[in-house]
Amino acid sequence: MYAFVVFLRKMLAQDQTPLLDALKTDAECSQACFYTPGHKQGQGISQKIANVFGTAVFRADLPELRDTAAIQQAQELAARAFGAEKTWFLVNGSTCGIEAAILATCGPGDKIILPRNVHSAAIAGLILSGAVPIFVYPEYDFGLDIAHCIAADAVAAALSKHPDAKAVMVVYPTYYGVCGDLKAIARVTHQYDIPLLVDEAHGAHFAFHPELPAPALAAGADLTVQSAHKTLAAFTQASMLHVQGTRIDRDRLEKALQFLQSTSPSYLLLASLDAARQQMALYGKQLMSHALQLAQQARNQIGEIPGISVFDLTCKQQKSQVSPGFAALDKTRLTVDVSKLGLTGFRAAEILEQDFGVTAELASPRHLTFIISLGNTQKDIEKLVEAFTYLGQEKEELGVASLPCFWDNANKVGDCLAVSPREAFLAKTEILPLQQTPGRICAEIVCPYPPGIPVLMPGEVISKSRLEYLLCIQAMGGFISGCADASLKNLRVLQM
Ligand SMILES: Cc1ncc(COP(=O)(O)O)c(C=O)c1O
């Protein structure tokens, strides 16, 4: 096996795209198809869909490749490009990678240390595995009204209280592009000889430019999951999971990934990962330089508009607010505070979209967050600046209600849940009017989306303050997901 890997390493260069090439060859081959998918390389598609997508994409939508080594070769190339020892291509987003990471490291009753502001994929991982979360509260910046990463000291405190934990999971970067001190967290975690798992969904581009934060693997992560579709040029749902070192049981991880993904993965998605890797390996620095330059231009120009401030580590007035959960910022992520204009982020997002055709990635009560990637152009930035210039002039004076904060926790290590997320998920439940639920145990994930960070999760005791927070987000125009009743009139709780 080792000799085979050495052989591959010697043979393949980063300008090659073995998977994309194999797919192209098979797509061009004319055959009478008696296998899936039913559209038979596009012969059976409706005219309507052909008019939208053309036929090329269906010709390449094949269930298998004749070159059976192509996937492994493509993953091997990706491992080298992203600095991993082994890489898996994922067709079910980082969601399945995060779930698999937890399943591969924790069993029923095992403890895992993770930030309270984890993505709902991690909660799903807890439900699937039966693991018990030990939550560490993120550093909260009240000035900016943004939750950052968890601090290494808080992880150390959690580990000394729970030395039997089986893994630590960290979100790096946050949705706002904020990165914690991952090196320090890796050091603390490895003192207990347990793996550091990283949700690097928003950081697939980090390895390709020195001005971006260090990639998680370089900072010492044992496993990291990246949504190549979020910041690189892969199709939506296409992600990668990278591993290094010996703390991860790779066979168990492989099995977990098999459980969580389709047995008929889309080769279109897989080939897009191969192409995205090649593009970044060859031109990543150049592409990221351009994205960084566009982001800086937007930062400078929008930051000068009265009443609008742009979230920036180097911003003088914000320096005092730099916290242990904020060691670096991904400058391609632009977060703009519109609250001083008397607007909520939700209302500002509406105006930008309806009047200027500018769509943000994330709207929150005070902010709008934009992803600037290799796909953006100078024209996009000009439209963005024009839209904010308008907002700066046309203040709406709607007033921004102050939002109750649910991260305000003096103890950095959170209390345990009433029951594990898995027990809560499997328990008998009932639906109650919202007002009757404080004090009861929640049976569902309730989270504003985006960013997909649960405010309530299965197993957690429902507090009035969390409900107020959710209602406030909803009243401001935010969308609540995960729960059966998105209107929040009712909530599913455990039966007593
Ligand atoms: C922090 C974080 N982790 C994980 C995910 C899930 O990633 P994917 O959409 O690739 O499944 C998201 C998605 O928004 C996310 O924001």
Side-chain angles (χ1 to χ4, degrees):
M1 182 63 195
Y2 179 70
F4 180 61
V5 171
V6 170
F7 170 70
L8 283 177
R9 278 183 195 251
K10 272 197 192 140
M11 224 182 70
L12 297 168
Q14 289 292 336
D15 62 349
Q16 291 180 271
T17 47
L19 185 47
L20 183 64
D21 297 351
L23 191 60
K24 180 173 181 288
T25 306
D26 286 4
E28 282 168 359
C29 180
S30 172
Q31 323 175 8
C33 309
F34 294 99
Y35 49 78
T36 62
H39 61 68
K40 312 287 179 183
Q41 292 198 271
Q43 293 178 151
I45 58 173
S46 72
Q47 193 54 49
K48 193 158 187 184
I49 199 163
N51 291 344
V52 179
F53 295 138
T55 51
V57 76
F58 290 96
R59 281 203 71 78
D61 183 25
L62 295 163
E64 270 170 26
L65 290 184
R66 278 177 293 180
D67 179 355
T68 50
I71 292 190
Q72 201 182 336
Q73 289 174 340
Q75 292 183 153
E76 168 64 19
L77 280 165
R80 273 164 48 201
F82 287 84
E85 284 172 19
K86 184 159 173 60
T87 292
W88 282 263
F89 284 179
L90 311 177
V91 291
N92 194 17
S94 292
T95 298
C96 78
I98 291 164
E99 291 165 357
I102 297 177
L103 266 181
T105 49
C106 300
D110 286 343
K111 294 178 187 166
I112 178 169
I113 292 168
L114 68 178
R116 179 57 186 77
N117 55 339
V118 277
H119 187 264
S120 52
I123 310 301
L126 297 173
I127 293 172
L128 289 167
S129 65
V132 175
I134 307 297
F135 285 118
V136 172
Y137 278 78
E139 298 293 313
Y140 195 81
D141 189 321
F142 290 93
L144 297 168
D145 205 6
I146 285 178
H148 295 326
C149 293
I150 50 177
D153 284 357
V155 175
L159 280 165
S160 87
K161 210 166 155 191
H162 302 279
D164 52 343
K166 292 289 192 288
V168 171
M169 177 171 268
V170 173
V171 180
Y172 174 99
T174 65
Y175 223 116
Y176 303 99
V178 172
C179 295
D181 187 349
L182 201 63
K183 265 192 190 163
I185 295 176
R187 252 194 321 273
V188 169
T189 305
H190 292 159
Q191 278 167 12
Y192 291 78
D193 198 22
I194 57 171
L196 174 62
L197 318 174
V198 179
D199 171 353
E200 202 180 9
H202 292 270
H205 54 304
F206 284 1
F208 301 96
H209 201 287
E211 281 173 34
L212 292 167
L217 289 172
D222 298 275
L223 177 157
T224 186
V225 187
Q226 301 174 330
S227 297
H229 66 94
K230 290 195 198 297
T231 57
L232 306 183
F235 274 132
T236 294
Q237 277 189 221
S239 289
M240 294 189 200
L241 187 154
H242 309 289
V243 165
Q244 65 181 354
T246 53
R247 292 188 188 91
I248 301 289
D249 178 341
R250 295 183 193 183
D251 291 336
R252 184 164 157 184
L253 178 64
E254 175 103 34
K255 281 197 194 94
L257 286 170
Q258 276 169 13
F259 293 156
L260 295 165
Q261 297 194 95
S262 167
T263 51
S264 317
S266 164
Y267 277 88
L268 297 170
L269 269 61
L270 294 172
S272 80
L273 284 169
D274 195 25
R277 181 274 313 155
Q278 186 235 29
Q279 182 186 34
M280 293 310 285
L282 298 186
Y283 313 111
K285 189 162 179 209
Q286 194 181 322
L287 292 165
M288 286 300 108
S289 291
H290 186 237
L292 281 160
Q293 178 242 312
L294 290 180
Q296 193 56 46
Q297 183 193 336
R299 230 182 204 95
N300 293 343
Q301 295 183 353
I302 296 168
E304 277 173 13
I305 301 170
I308 295 180
S309 60
V310 181
F311 175 33
D312 195 337
L313 182 61
T314 55
C315 215
K316 219 172 175 208
Q317 79 267 23
Q318 287 164 359
K319 268 217 161 131
S320 60
Q321 294 161 353
V322 172
S323 80
F326 188 168
L329 178 68
D330 170 7
K331 297 271 190 68
T332 64
R333 200 54 62 106
L334 194 72
T335 295
V336 181
D337 186 341
V338 292
S339 59
K340 293 205 178 76
L341 297 176
L343 285 172
T344 64
F346 304 113
R347 177 69 190 126
E350 262 172 28
I351 299 172
L352 257 55
E353 185 156 351
Q354 283 164 13
D355 298 353
F356 293 89
V358 168
T359 308
E361 164 65 18
L362 166 70
S364 49
R366 273 178 58 176
H367 306 101
L368 285 174
T369 300
F370 302 86
I371 298 178
I372 296 168
S373 78
L374 51 81
N376 283 111
T377 61
Q378 179 68 34
K379 202 158 167 248
D380 294 338
I381 302 300
E382 284 163 15
K383 277 179 91 169
L384 184 66
V385 173
E386 185 200 352
F388 274 110
T389 307
Y390 169 84
L391 278 191
Q393 288 159 357
E394 304 289 321
K395 298 181 188 177
E396 286 218 342
E397 303 300 346
L398 289 177
V400 179
S402 69
L403 191 67
C405 170
F406 82 94
W407 302 115
D408 184 15
N409 191 298
N411 299 317
K412 291 290 178 212
V413 181
D415 303 324
C416 289
L417 302 184
V419 298
S420 80
R422 182 186 177 84
E423 281 173 75
F425 180 80
L426 297 174
K428 287 207 166 118
T429 62
E430 60 183 322
I431 294 174
L432 289 182
L434 200 73
Q435 311 81 279
Q436 292 177 26
T437 60
R440 299 290 296 267
I441 301 173
C442 190
E444 51 190 352
I445 296 177
V446 191
C447 67
Y449 210 101
I453 295 163
V455 172
L456 283 169
M457 66 179 76
E460 204 163 39
V461 177
I462 298 167
S463 67
K464 269 195 178 148
S465 62
R466 298 268 167 108
L467 294 182
E468 271 168 30
Y469 180 86
L470 285 164
L471 289 170
C472 203
I473 295 255
Q474 193 189 43
M476 287 180 174
F479 175 69
I480 308 297
S481 76
C483 46
D485 181 2
S487 73
L488 283 185
K489 288 196 176 63
N490 303 296
L491 210 54
R492 188 175 286 280
V493 298
L494 263 62
Q495 282 183 10
M496 293 225 267

